[in-house]
Structures are given as structure tokens and as C-alpha cells.
Amino acid sequence: MNTSELARRDKFQFSMLLNDKRYRSYSFQFFALFILICAMAYLGKNLLENLAAAGLNISYSFLGEPAGYDINQRLIEYNSQSTHLRASIVGVLNTLLVAFLGCIAATFFGVTAGILRLSNNWIVAKLMMIYVEIFRNVPVLIWILIIHSVFLAFLPQPKAFRGENPEATMLWDAFAFTGRGFYIPKPVFNDGSFLVIVTFILSVIGIFVFRYYARQKLYSEGKLLETRWTSVGIFFIPTLIIYFALGSPIGLEYPELKGFNFKGGIHARGSLISLWFALSIYTGAFIAEVVRAGIQSVDKGQSEAAGALGMRPNFIMNLVILPQALRVIVPPLISFYLNITKNSSLALAVGYMDITGTLGGITLNQTGRAIEAVLLLMLFYLVISLSISAIMNVYNRSIMLKER
């Protein structure tokens, strides 16, 4: 084949979009995207025409109107005269709160149960197996209702803390666990507290930096540095020095029984606690199986070789097994975090006002703006799901095997 034939072959022609394998896949993808855009445009046009025929239009002006309802659990200031927009923001924060707490607790339950399922102790392994099989085979809504009912039935009411010989007492005179929720001390920030908080954040960052240095030292020189007590020292000592040097600028406001209920402190309602615990323990059962599979995917010779070098079992698990198992554990773990966030929409079953209960519930019913409310709900769950996926995918890429 001469030079002119090669040039003629490499010259682009429209027929190459279907006949040349270099362009064929892109052509099909572009065509599928074009069809999807046309379908979405047709549906949107049809929606607008039907709304216009019914004398309706899409408007979000209702977000500036007074909400007219109270929200029992809130992280920011809110009252019944606040706008629907602020009510929606309160719902968003409530959803993010239970999702964040749920992801942390579910990871703890899942990792613990997954490791214990592989225990040599027969009783412990079987108990973890029972936990996994029971919780993951019953719908999460049922667990939410069961756990909420248990809290209401077995935890005392505030009146049980009253009197000279009360039926119930506060834990360390600071924590009260009641059927109406948990009451815990509330931090009070005075002058100088900002510097203490900055020091604490820098201490946490310092722990990660030190552990990274210790890990690199181990991999490069085979030198094992003591990290546990050093990390504890970095965590506490700098913050405590700044805290006492500035005259204890951060105090605590303790809950006190006044009238028919506790006043002061932080009140975590029973609906929040039961929803958080139910989502955590339910999702933790699924995470446990993923953790077990990830650990078992690591060749047994890895732990045997580490044991032959004299490493203790906890170091073998933390330094040899889990780092390799994470490559199997993390990808499905992303889906479980997304499930916690989306399953939090069941909060209305126990009276917890998340974004589904505010914007998708009371606000929708009061204003009649169903399309606008649903579109905002879809946008919120889409954004938070994509954000969780992006963050976890960054971490997943950081632990992937680096090929030459």
C-alpha cells in the first residue's frame, strides 16, 4: 500500500461514522444522547402545554410565603412564621444529619460484625451471623417502627426523674435518656473558643500526617513507629494546653428538669435516635457481609507471612489485611451510603421532619405545588447522591492498585 492510498484511507469520510470501528461507538453514543434529549424535550413541552391548558404555571414564589407549621427537630432557628424556603432548609439539614450519623454508625457496626464473623470463637461468629441474617432480611421500615416503639415503651418519661426518690436518674447528672428523646450537655462558646477549635482541627490533621509518615517509614525502611499513644497525645495535649491557657473559654450547658420536661442542653428527639439507630444497624448488616468478603478475598498467605515476621494479630489486620480488603469493600460501600441517605425519607413514619416531610409533605399539601416540590426533592437527592459518590470515588481511586 503506497503513501497516496494510506492518505486516502486516513482522510475522514461520513461513512466512517458507521463503518470505522474508531468512530462507530461514538456515533451510537451521540445518537442515543440525541434521542434522549428529544424525548426529554417532548415530555417537557407536553408538561408545559398541559399546565397552560389547566391555567397553571411552574412558579417557586411559594418558597417566600410563611410556612405556618412547626418543626420539632431543627438545627437552625425556625418558627411557624418562617418561610417555606427556611422550612425546606431545616428539612435538608435534618436529612443530612441523620445520613451523616447513619453512615458513621453503620460503618462501625458493619466493620465490627464483618470481622467478628470470621472469629475463631464459634459463639461470636454465630451471633454475628444471626445479626446479619435477621436485620438484612426484614424491611428497614419495620425496623424503624420496632426500634421507635421499643424506645417509647422502655425509656422513662421526664416525670420519672422528679422527686426525692425518682424512678430514673440522669447519667453523671449530665445525660438524660427518656422516651421523648436524649438530653445531652450543650457547648457554650465564649471569647477565645475559636482558637481552641482551630487547635483541635490542626491536631486532627496532625494525626493523619503523622500516621502517613509512620506508614511511609514502615514501607520504605521497615521501621515500625509507635502510633497509638502518639496519636492520643497529638489529639489531646495541644488542645488542652490552649484551652487552659485561655481560661477555659468553652463551657457546657447541662439539661435540667423544669416543669414537665428538661430544659437546656441539646435535645435529640426520640424520632431522630430511633431512625438513626434503625438505619445504622440495618445497613450495617449489609456492610458486614461486604467486609467479610473483602477480608476473605485477601490470600491467606498474606496473614501467614505477616505472622511469620512476628507481627501481632491486630497489626496484621490493620496493616496487612484491611488495606488490601478495602479495594473490595469500598465500591459497594458507596451504594450502602447512598441507601442510608435515600432510606432516610422514611423518617415521617416516626415523626422526624426531614426534607421529605417538610418540602415533600406539609409544604406540598399547603401550597398545592406538587410539581415544583417534587422537582426540588429530586434535585436534592440527586445532588447529595452524586456528592457522596464523588467523595467516595476519590477515596476509592486513592487505594486502588497502581500499575506500572
Side-chain angles (χ1 to χ4, degrees):
M1 187 177 294
N2 55 36
T3 305
S4 60
E5 290 177 344
L6 288 173
R8 189 165 53 252
R9 180 181 177 184
D10 291 337
K11 184 178 179 180
F12 178 78
Q13 300 176 1
F14 283 103
S15 61
M16 297 172 64
L17 292 175
L18 295 177
N19 298 328
D20 195 320
K21 64 180 181 180
R22 293 176 297 175
Y23 305 105
R24 187 184 301 126
S25 61
Y26 296 105
S27 301
F28 288 144
Q29 292 179 48
F30 178 80
F31 181 72
L33 179 62
F34 177 75
I35 294 296
L36 178 62
I37 292 175
C38 291
M40 297 298 294
Y42 171 76
L43 293 175
K45 178 176 178 293
N46 188 47
L47 172 63
L48 294 176
E49 290 177 350
N50 290 334
L51 288 174
L56 302 174
N57 65 326
I58 294 181
S59 173
Y60 288 96
S61 60
F62 70 94
L63 292 175
E65 300 173 357
Y69 61 89
D70 291 322
I71 299 177
N72 49 23
Q73 181 77 51
R74 51 186 179 270
L75 298 177
I76 59 176
E77 290 296 327
Y78 172 86
N79 57 60
S80 60
Q81 296 306 309
S82 300
T83 62
H84 286 291
L85 176 60
R86 193 166 185 83
S88 300
I89 294 175
V90 172
V92 167
L93 294 177
N94 285 346
T95 299
L96 295 178
L97 174 64
V98 72
F100 176 75
L101 295 176
C103 289
I104 294 177
T107 303
F108 172 77
F109 288 137
V111 173
T112 303
I115 294 176
L116 292 180
R117 279 212 65 182
L118 301 174
S119 172
N120 293 326
N121 189 308
W122 185 86
I123 296 178
V124 172
K126 292 303 178 182
L127 286 176
M128 292 301 103
M129 183 193 71
I130 293 172
Y131 156 68
V132 169
E133 296 301 329
I134 288 178
F135 276 89
R136 71 173 185 167
N137 288 299
V138 176
V140 62
L141 178 59
I142 295 178
W143 283 120
I144 293 174
L145 295 175
I146 290 175
I147 292 175
H148 185 63
S149 300
V150 169
F151 281 170
L152 290 177
F154 290 96
L155 290 179
Q157 295 301 314
K159 64 180 181 181
F161 293 81
R162 185 182 294 110
E164 296 182 357
N165 296 310
E167 300 176 11
T169 57
M170 297 179 63
L171 181 62
W172 301 319
D173 292 328
F175 301 89
F177 305 108
T178 75
R180 296 183 184 179
F182 294 176
Y183 298 85
I184 62 177
K186 177 182 178 181
V188 178
F189 301 98
N190 301 312
D191 294 338
S193 58
F194 177 75
L195 185 58
V196 177
I197 295 173
V198 171
T199 305
F200 174 75
I201 295 174
L202 293 177
S203 297
V204 174
I205 296 174
I207 292 174
F208 286 100
V209 172
F210 171 72
R211 284 181 172 269
Y212 176 79
Y213 169 76
R215 187 164 58 251
Q216 296 302 317
K217 199 78 172 176
L218 176 64
Y219 293 160
S220 60
E221 302 179 13
K223 189 175 181 179
L224 182 62
L225 299 179
E226 201 286 324
T227 58
R228 179 181 301 175
W229 293 110
T230 305
S231 298
V232 172
I234 295 174
F235 186 82
F236 286 105
I237 293 176
T239 304
L240 290 176
I241 291 175
I242 298 297
Y243 176 80
F244 288 110
L246 296 176
S248 305
I250 301 178
L252 292 176
E253 178 186 275
Y254 292 93
E256 296 179 2
L257 184 61
K258 295 182 179 180
F260 297 100
N261 209 343
F262 283 92
K263 303 294 182 182
I266 297 176
H267 178 205
R269 296 185 66 87
S271 55
L272 167 62
I273 301 299
S274 56
L275 178 67
W276 169 30
F277 186 71
L279 291 177
S280 302
I281 202 167
Y282 172 80
T283 310
F286 290 89
I287 295 177
E289 286 298 272
V290 173
V291 171
R292 181 177 65 88
I295 293 174
Q296 289 182 327
S297 69
V298 179
D299 190 88
K300 190 176 180 180
Q302 298 282 326
S303 57
E304 293 176 345
L309 293 174
M311 295 183 67
R312 294 195 294 271
N314 59 330
F315 283 110
I316 294 175
M317 179 60 67
N318 294 330
L319 299 178
V320 179
I321 305 300
L322 281 182
Q324 299 181 72
L326 284 176
R327 303 185 183 103
V328 177
I329 295 172
V330 171
L333 191 64
I334 300 174
S335 298
F336 296 136
Y337 287 168
L338 297 179
N339 286 338
I340 289 177
T341 305
K342 290 180 286 188
N343 286 336
S344 66
S345 60
L346 299 171
L348 201 58
V350 290
Y352 182 71
M353 298 295 289
D354 68 334
I355 184 61
T356 305
T358 54
L359 178 61
I362 301 177
T363 294
L364 186 152
N365 292 327
Q366 285 187 353
T367 62
R369 293 288 181 175
I371 295 176
E372 293 89 336
V374 171
L375 287 176
L376 285 177
L377 275 176
M378 292 172 59
L379 178 62
F380 166 73
Y381 281 110
L382 178 63
V383 170
I384 191 63
S385 297
L386 292 178
S387 300
I388 293 174
S389 297
I391 294 172
M392 292 301 297
N393 281 325
V394 169
Y395 177 69
N396 185 37
R397 285 192 292 271
S398 68
I399 61 175
M400 289 177 61
L401 287 174
K402 306 298 189 295
E403 297 182 358
R404 294 181 180 178

